[in-house]
Amino acid sequence: MEGGATHLGGFSLRSLLGDAEIVGAADVAVSHCTIDPRGCRTGDLFVQLPDRHTPADVEDAVRCGAAAVVASQPLVGCRVPVCYVPDAAEAYGRLCQGLAGDPARRLKVVGVAGSYGKTTTGYLIASILSAAGRTPGVLGSLGYCDGADTAEARWTTPPAPILAGWLRRMADNGCSHAVTELSARGVLESRAAGLRCDVLCLTNLRGADAALRSCAADRRRYASRLLEHLSPEGVLIVNADDPAACEAA
């Protein structure tokens, strides 16, 4: 299921990606999107990721029935409409959340980020919420829970369609909150694009994550991308004992 996201209905592509340039059509109706070129079905929206797909993959997707393509690089001779965006991975995350019905709007989302302590902090928060009579769902490295079912975690922060699917199930199952770990790799790969947090906790930035070990610039980029996930009215909690976290925030 990593390659796609389904939705009960559909929406206008321009309504979600209003700043995009659509070539070959005024707008595109979207009810399903995928990053799997050979898994495309008739009418699907195919998202081309520059670091993953070649022009041949786009041709395969169109041959399999893709009705339009989202891309961040020029496509020559494409036989279907193309929606050009600055960052295709970020657009894919937003599409997955939109196709799932923007489930975060029905939840209070608590994002837990940082190098160390995300899992412990996340479960402490979920425990506090449970003790207060709330119903939290959890997404993290120890597993996923939607308020009814649990599953082992393949990723700390799952790929965009899986993340959106779990959030939707949380909302449908009556969860009040979603406590989700936001790993450096997950954030930098835009897996959580389109997700807005009501509370964002930054434990520390010490370079334990492989995605943060190369340089301080990567840690700053991670922190900057994290702040994009904080809702305008959201609360940011930073570990004051960690100078790098305080500087990044």
Side-chain angles (χ1 to χ4, degrees):
M1 294 297 293
E2 181 180 351
T6 56
H7 177 48
L8 293 176
F11 58 79
S12 152
L13 184 59
R14 194 173 292 283
S15 70
L16 184 69
L17 305 177
D19 54 347
E21 177 187 3
I22 300 179
V23 176
D27 201 352
V28 175
V30 181
S31 59
H32 187 276
C33 72
T34 182
I35 55 173
D36 178 5
R38 292 171 183 81
C40 267
R41 304 174 305 189
T42 300
D44 281 359
L45 176 68
F46 175 66
V47 182
Q48 183 202 32
L49 303 180
D51 58 350
R52 177 167 177 167
H53 299 126
T54 66
D57 290 320
V58 176
E59 294 177 7
D60 285 341
V62 174
R63 190 178 304 113
C64 288
V69 176
V70 171
S72 54
Q73 297 178 338
L75 298 179
V76 179
C78 188
R79 294 181 284 114
V80 298
V82 180
C83 175
Y84 288 106
V85 295
D87 185 336
E90 193 270 344
Y92 180 55
R94 290 168 60 190
L95 284 164
C96 289
Q97 292 294 330
L99 287 166
D102 288 321
R105 293 185 180 181
R106 295 191 279 155
L107 300 160
K108 292 293 185 181
V109 180
V110 181
V112 184
S115 302
Y116 294 96
K118 293 189 296 296
T119 301
T120 300
T121 302
Y123 275 93
L124 285 171
I125 293 170
S127 177
I128 292 168
L129 289 169
S130 295
R134 305 298 192 270
T135 308
V138 177
L139 292 169
S141 57
L142 290 184
Y144 311 147
C145 176
D146 62 9
D149 298 315
T150 60
E152 294 184 0
R154 290 182 58 191
W155 309 268
T156 298
T157 303
I162 297 176
L163 174 63
W166 277 93
L167 290 171
R168 174 159 187 158
R169 289 194 289 276
M170 290 180 195
D172 289 346
N173 290 336
C175 287
S176 59
H177 293 71
V179 181
T180 179
E181 293 183 41
L182 297 173
S183 68
R185 185 174 302 280
V187 169
L188 294 175
E189 291 181 356
S190 299
R191 297 178 190 175
L195 177 66
R196 292 292 177 266
C197 297
D198 298 283
V199 178
L200 181 60
C201 303
L202 181 57
T203 60
N204 49 68
L205 285 175
R206 300 181 185 177
D209 193 309
L212 301 179
R213 288 175 184 164
S214 57
C215 63
D218 285 338
R219 292 190 286 275
R220 287 193 295 271
R221 188 162 68 96
Y222 172 43
S224 176
R225 293 289 296 273
L226 277 173
L227 293 178
E228 295 175 7
H229 293 287
L230 186 64
S231 69
E233 301 81 19
V235 176
L236 175 65
I237 301 174
V238 180
N239 177 6
D241 292 328
D242 183 69
C246 290
E247 179 184 354

